[in-house]
Amino acid sequence: GESVGLHLPTLSVQEGDNSIINCAYSNSASDYFIWYKQESGKGPQFIIDIRSNMDKRQGQRVTVLLNKTVKHLSLQIAATQPGDSAVYFCAENIRGGSQGNLIFGKGTKLSVKP
Amino acid sequence: GAVVSQHPSRVICKSGTSVKIECRSLDFQATTMFWYRQFPKQSLMLMATSNEGSKATYEQGVEKDKFLINHASLTLSTLTVTSAHPEDSSFYICSARDRAGGYNEQFFGPGTRLTVL
């Protein structure tokens, strides 16, 4: 089965609130993680990444947290906007994996209510 | 920078015909390109990995004779769906890894919607 999964398949938040999207991974050899945003009918768009030697990384309005102890990854979006509505995927790279392939999680659909 | 394009964006074809999808890295050289398939409301599933100048590596369950991949240059990879059938209808997405780039960042194309009648 897939080694990357998500706790919540859908998430609905009010505009202006903070959003937290979670992801569980099972492969302890994973050393690089990426969050992607995919809008309907489009390809995935890079949001933020984190290496396994870090536990937190911040971008503009987004923060990724990595907890290697429990193999958990989260994406926090501050002051969620209607334009944030999309499906969010986490992806992992397994250290030494074949040609650096990424394994994608199932995705969480984020809906932002105005 | 790091733009990947795909052509066509959508294609409708009759069952039994072949369809070619192009993936181009516009402003960087890509030693490795990846092809994914995505069914509605599902995640991306890796089909194959192609390296410039060599044969593609296919994931388990993906028929290499049906999904022909050619990576003839550092900026172009093509996926040809041969003898397409309705079950091949899907969203096909490519990604490219920058030769000079970072850890393992992949840049994705906008996808190609294939509908087989």
Side-chain angles (χ1 to χ4, degrees), chain B residues 24-99:
Chain B
R24 292 180 185 274
S25 57
L26 299 184
D27 50 3
F28 66 98
Q29 292 185 323
T31 48
T32 305
M33 288 185 168
F34 303 86
W35 287 97
Y36 296 84
R37 180 166 52 183
Q38 185 179 35
F39 293 108
K41 300 189 190 306
Q42 294 189 22
S43 188
L44 283 74
M45 295 300 294
L46 180 66
M47 299 176 65
T49 303
S50 73
N51 291 299
E52 183 264 337
S54 62
K55 289 184 179 180
T57 302
Y58 290 82
E59 295 300 299
Q60 191 173 9
V62 178
E63 300 175 58
K64 62 180 181 181
D65 294 330
K66 182 169 184 61
F67 299 99
L68 301 178
I69 291 172
N70 185 286
H71 192 162
S73 77
L74 285 172
T75 59
L76 173 64
S77 177
T78 61
L79 167 68
T80 301
V81 184
T82 62
S83 187
H85 291 284
E87 58 265 30
D88 297 323
S89 298
S90 188
F91 193 49
Y92 291 86
I93 308 171
C94 74
S95 71
R97 195 162 71 195
D98 190 344
R99 185 181 195 181

Side-chain angles (χ1 to χ4, degrees), chain B residues 95-110:
Chain B
S95 71
R97 195 162 71 195
D98 190 344
R99 185 181 195 181
Y103 205 67
N104 187 28
E105 189 173 352
Q106 294 181 24
F107 301 97
F108 285 82

